[in-house]
Structures are given as structure tokens and as C-alpha cells.
Amino acid sequence: MVRLVLVLGDQLTPDIAALAVADKRQDVVVMAEVMGEGQSVAHHPQKIALILAAMRKFAAVLQAEGWRVAYSRLDDPENSQTISGELLRRADAFGASEVLATRPGEWRVLRDLEDLPLSVNLLEDDRFICREAEFAAWAEGRKQLRIEWFYRDMRRKTGLLMAGGKPVGGQWNFDHDNRKPAKRDLLRPRPGDVVPDAVVEDVLTLVESRFGHFGRLRPFRWATDRAGALAALAEFVAERLPRFGEEQDAMLEGEAFLSHAVISPYLNLGLLSPIEVCRAAEAAWQAGKVPIAAAEGFIRQVIGWREFVRGIWMQEGPAYLERNELGHGRDLPAVYWGGETRMACMAAAVGQTRDLAYAHHIQRLMVTGNFALLAGVAPAAVHEWYLSVYIDAFEWVEAPNTIGMSQFADGGVLGSKPYVSSGAYIDRMSDHCGGCAYKVKEKTGAGACPFNLLYWHFLNRHRERFRSNPRMGQMYRVWDGMDEAHRARVLEGAGQLLERLDRGEVV
Ligand code: SF4
């Protein structure tokens, strides 16, 4: 009996679970480009193009390996434009009643598969280092889930940067050597551009004609196959990893990539595996080419943070997407969709997002995320925005990062305190403030940095919740120690700013 083997656009790994148990002599691989996915949110055109081009190339690899692939192109007249519809169409054509599928990374897609009138054999996605049951066992009985303990277990499990059961260099975490402001005069090789080939050009033309979402499609520079992804990894390890940790929280105007890896789209599509990118960083350290702090900082992001947030996403289930513990309900301001703004840091982060479908984690967390949280934007709207605009954003990784880490909408499942800051943090870590219409040193008045006003407004309106948080008590003491008239001016200024946002005025 023929079985259908579903391979989704972020499952482009030759030994993905569904392929591993399928039989290439009789089963049929189903891959489908569908509008239902391309429009599930307003995905950035570069993200859609990357996924479609990578799917087409992966299908060709499977065919070359002897698989029968039923591939639906977006412009096939017969295409039903949903994954379920394409599975039913192929089931009918091949007389199949069973589907082999690897667990999708989006609850909506999982629900659609479970609702199919076919027998669906859902297999665990074993590309993750920490399995679902393993995370559940680790989380069981813990009052708080904290990444550091999880990360140490992943180091022990993988043996990465370990010697004789102990962390190399005598410590688990070298973060105190990291996170410095960036120096402008350093030469940093940016990720190499990949010139679009004929497959990519076809896809770009298709995406141009079908999707009018926020974001520039061209120039399109991304790799779209495993060879290109491996080249991007090698280039990162050789050229930017040595300074990765040191610059990971820095922001410089016009320098989108600094020393970041920019391999997350390839990891999340399945073109690279988490363990191989960590082994590459470890090997560079062993060869004396990068400092331990850089290798450890990078490996922590992959086997620590990436695996940890995926565990939270699995554990919390679809209801997590609706969490709103702080009761925030403001609409997402127009600046997030490219609307005019006087804030230099927001203009830089959003402009870069529009052009590249990419911003690094501090731009996401401490500029756009920080502003949305301080302004009280509905977390579901913030979640949808991040899922839409970033090339590496897939629900399993984006939702916990946004709803949990960035917006504290889960009430502290993921982090012990909200990531909020005044303009001082952005000033310390970037060179944006010098060219801004607002003054970062001003705390009140029309020229005051919006982050300064909203920071105290946020702390004041959530006082009951946060004042006894040991990591925030000091800030409440600072606020309480301010002159009462000054505090009133700050709150009044913040209130006026929020009213302007609500009226859709330029802020
Ligand atoms: Fe951003 Fe405030 Fe600095 Fe302007 S002054 S760039 S709004 S932090």
C-alpha cells in the first residue's frame, strides 16, 4: 500500500523522521507550496522565497536519491492551496490512505493534520537534541524552569566543551567576557551574498506576483540549499565567530550583522543540524582560532536557548499563544510596518527588518520588543509581527521568544523578569542616540526619549506584580526616591505619548 510522506518547508533534512521510516520503493513524498501557509500571517517576501526555493531544491535532491516526489508548485492550476487539500488530492491520485508526517513546528498545522480524514502517523521531530519526553522529565517538579541548569545538562549530554565530565576552561558560562558595546572602526566581514540562480529567480518572480506583504524581496542574498548553508557556516566560524560573544548585544547604525552567525534560517529549515554547527564552533576553539568565550557563547545559544524555548513551546501547548498576563491590549503602532518615526533606534531596527528580513536578537529584544512591552501592545499582535517579518521565525522558536522572553506575557514561565530598559541601555549598547530627534539624557518634556518615559510608566502601572521581584526591587527604590513632582511629569509625559500612539501620530 502506498503511503504519503509529508515533508514541510522547514523539514528539509534528508533523514527527517518521516523519510527515515518511509520506503522509497513504494511511498510517495508530498511537498506543497500553498497560499494557505504563505498567507497564514503576512510573511516577509524574502522568507517566502527562501522557503519555496529551498523546497524546490530539496525535492530535486530527493528525486536524485530515488524518491517519488509529488510536488505542488504555488502556480499549479490543480493546487488546492492548503497542505490538507494537497494531501487529500495526492491520497486520491495514489490510492493512499496513510500519511507519514514529522511533527510540525506550528500548532495550527498540527491541528489540520489531526483533522484529516486519513490515517496520520505523526513522528517526533528528532532533529532536536532534547526530546519531548526528556524535556518533560527535566521540567517535572521544578518550581522554575531556568535555562542555565538545562544548558548544563545539554552540555553533559552532547559532551560539547566538556573534559572528564567537567566544563572546559573551568566554568560553564563565559558571559562576563561578552556583551560589550561595539567599536565602529573594526572591520567585520559581512555574510557573503549568494547570487540567485535560475531556481531562485523563478521563485522571486512568483513571490513578487503573489505577495504584497511588508518587506523588500530584492536583493535576495540567502543560500537555498545545504551546500550554501554549509558555506555560510564555514564563513561565520572563520570570520565572525572570534568576536561573536563580545559583540552579541551591540548595535551599530548601518551594521546589520556585526559578528552574528546569521545561520538561524538554515538551522530552522533543516539545512544545517544543531549539533554540526556546535561541533564546528568547538573545533575552531580546539584549533586555537577562537576564544573560549566566543565558542561557549555560541554553543549556549544553540544547545541551551534554542532547545530550551522549543521545550517550553511543546510543554505549554497552543494556549501559550494566547497568554497575556500583563493585560496589554494596545494595537501595534504603525512604525512596526514601516510607518514614520522620530526614534532613531526603532527606525534602524524596522528599516533593516524591511530590507533584510533580519535583525539580531538585541534589536528584537531591547528595541522593538522593549518598546512594544513598555507601550503595552497586545502580545498576540507582537507575536504575529515577529512571526511575519523575520526570515528565521517559526512558531516553535518565535512564540516563546516573543510571548515569554520579550513580552513577559506568560507571567514568568520562561524568564524571571521582564526585559525592559530605559534609553540608557540603548545608548550604552549602540550609536543610535546621537542621531535621534529625542534626547536620551532627557527624562521629561517633549524632547525626552520615549523609552525613558515609558519605562517608568511600565514599572508604575505593574507595581503590584513586580515590586517584590528580587531583580526589580532596586528600580522601584530608585523610582520611589524621585521627587514627587518629577514622577508626575514622567507619568504625564508617558500618558501623552501613549495617547499620540493611539491616535496614530508619529512618535
Ligand atoms: Fe532610541 Fe531614545 Fe536613543 Fe532615540 S534617544 S535612539 S528613541 S533610545
Side-chain angles (χ1 to χ4, degrees):
M1 187 61 128
V2 175
R3 294 173 300 181
L4 303 181
V5 186
L6 177 66
V7 175
L8 296 168
D10 60 348
Q11 297 178 343
L12 309 181
T13 309
D15 53 1
I16 188 96
L19 285 169
V21 302
D23 181 351
K24 73 167 71 154
R25 289 165 308 178
Q26 63 166 33
D27 296 332
V28 175
V29 175
V30 174
M31 296 180 73
E33 304 172 359
V34 292
M35 290 300 281
E37 293 308 305
Q39 292 180 327
S40 60
V41 294
H43 293 292
H44 194 293
Q46 288 187 40
K47 180 182 184 185
I48 299 172
L50 171 68
I51 294 171
L52 298 192
M55 283 174 72
R56 288 183 182 192
K57 292 185 181 183
F58 186 70
V61 169
L62 292 180
Q63 279 163 334
E65 286 176 359
W67 289 96
R68 267 198 298 172
V69 181
Y71 193 95
S72 309
R73 288 187 176 225
L74 199 72
D75 50 0
D76 284 351
E78 314 265 283
N79 190 332
S80 62
Q81 303 298 348
T82 65
I83 290 166
S84 302
E86 288 308 276
L87 281 169
L88 289 171
R89 188 161 75 88
R90 301 304 187 183
D92 200 32
F94 291 100
S97 58
E98 187 181 346
V99 177
L100 293 172
T102 310
R103 201 177 229 288
E106 194 162 335
W107 292 113
R108 174 184 57 82
V109 179
L110 178 64
R111 204 171 47 238
D112 288 350
L113 292 180
E114 287 172 344
D115 288 348
L116 273 173
L118 297 168
S119 160
V120 178
N121 186 358
L122 262 182
L123 301 154
E124 184 173 357
D125 190 341
D126 54 15
R127 293 175 298 177
F128 292 92
I129 292 162
C130 183
R131 299 300 173 83
E132 185 180 351
E134 193 181 351
F135 188 86
W138 177 82
E140 170 108 45
R142 286 177 195 259
K143 268 210 225 126
Q144 284 199 315
L145 304 182
R146 291 296 166 250
I147 185 183
E148 185 60 27
W149 310 118
F150 173 81
Y151 166 58
R152 292 181 187 187
D153 282 354
M154 291 300 105
R155 286 271 295 277
R156 291 185 189 101
K157 177 176 178 174
T158 58
L160 284 160
L161 299 181
M162 298 291 288
K166 298 217 158 38
V168 297
Q171 60 196 67
W172 293 99
N173 188 318
F174 289 82
D175 237 13
H176 66 267
D177 296 343
N178 289 336
R179 304 185 166 174
K180 300 180 178 119
K183 295 187 199 81
R184 178 153 284 286
D185 49 357
L186 288 175
L187 191 65
R188 300 172 188 86
R190 51 162 290 152
D193 293 349
V194 180
V195 179
D197 58 18
V199 173
V200 176
E201 274 301 343
D202 274 358
V203 165
L204 294 179
T205 306
L206 182 67
V207 170
E208 226 154 28
S209 69
R210 302 270 168 143
F211 299 94
H213 300 164
F214 169 78
R216 292 207 173 121
L217 177 61
R218 296 173 194 266
F220 182 89
R221 306 178 163 105
W222 302 96
T224 49
D225 55 19
R226 174 148 169 85
L230 283 170
L233 170 64
E235 182 194 53
F236 158 63
V237 171
E239 297 184 352
R240 297 191 303 284
L241 180 59
R243 229 189 296 275
F244 170 84
E246 178 185 322
E247 287 198 332
Q248 66 180 307
D249 287 5
M251 295 172 277
L252 285 181
E253 194 84 29
E255 292 256 13
F257 303 110
L258 291 163
S259 296
H260 289 274
V262 205
I263 58 167
S264 50
Y266 311 131
L267 267 173
N268 295 350
L269 287 190
L271 298 176
L272 295 175
S273 83
I275 201 72
E276 78 181 331
V277 304
C278 291
R279 293 269 177 243
E282 183 186 50
W285 168 72
Q286 282 165 339
K289 292 178 179 159
V290 306
I292 182 77
E296 188 279 317
F298 173 74
I299 288 169
R300 179 155 26 92
Q301 297 304 318
V302 180
I303 65 167
W305 191 250
R306 185 174 187 271
E307 296 283 332
F308 181 70
V309 298
R310 206 265 179 166
I312 299 272
W313 176 81
M314 292 288 293
Q315 176 182 274
E316 294 292 311
Y320 192 76
L321 308 180
E322 312 298 326
R323 298 290 292 269
N324 187 3
E325 288 288 315
L326 300 183
H328 285 171
R330 181 159 277 110
D331 289 344
L332 194 71
V335 55
Y336 285 81
W337 298 110
E340 199 184 329
T341 179
R342 301 171 66 224
M343 292 183 282
C345 55
M346 287 289 283
V350 174
Q352 182 191 311
T353 300
R354 176 198 59 218
D355 294 348
L356 304 171
Y358 173 81
H360 69 68
H361 78 118
I362 285 297
Q363 293 174 298
R364 299 187 206 194
L365 184 67
M366 298 312 292
V367 180
T368 49
N370 187 14
F371 189 75
L373 178 56
L374 295 180
V377 177
V382 188
H383 156 54
E384 186 172 324
W385 184 76
Y386 281 100
L387 185 60
S388 303
V389 301
Y390 288 116
I391 196 142
D392 53 6
F394 294 87
E395 186 186 277
W396 66 266
V397 61
E398 175 280 326
N401 269 300
T402 303
I403 289 165
M405 188 186 195
S406 167
Q407 299 301 296
F408 205 78
D410 65 4
V413 174
L414 198 115
S416 55
K417 77 174 203 30
Y419 278 87
V420 284
S421 80
S422 66
Y425 174 85
I426 296 172
D427 191 31
R428 186 164 71 250
M429 298 310 295
S430 82
D431 61 356
H432 294 310
C433 298
C436 185
Y438 295 103
K439 298 281 166 273
V440 73
K441 303 274 187 243
E442 287 183 19
K443 314 286 189 230
T444 58
C449 166
F451 285 90
N452 292 347
L453 296 169
L454 294 178
Y455 176 71
W456 295 116
H457 191 273
F458 173 90
L459 289 185
N460 188 59
R461 73 180 185 263
H462 293 299
R463 186 183 185 94
E464 284 312 304
R465 178 180 290 270
F466 293 126
R467 72 176 170 171
S468 50
N469 183 316
R471 298 181 65 197
M472 298 177 75
Q474 171 60 19
M475 295 323 294
Y476 281 100
R477 283 190 287 281
V478 170
W479 175 241
D480 292 341
M482 288 179 198
D483 171 67
E484 199 173 330
H486 176 78
R487 279 186 283 157
R489 280 198 300 279
V490 170
L491 294 181
E492 190 189 359
Q496 287 166 352
L497 189 85
L498 292 173
E499 283 170 18
R500 283 167 53 207
L501 277 180
D502 290 343
R503 289 195 297 269
E505 292 175 17
V506 173
V507 163

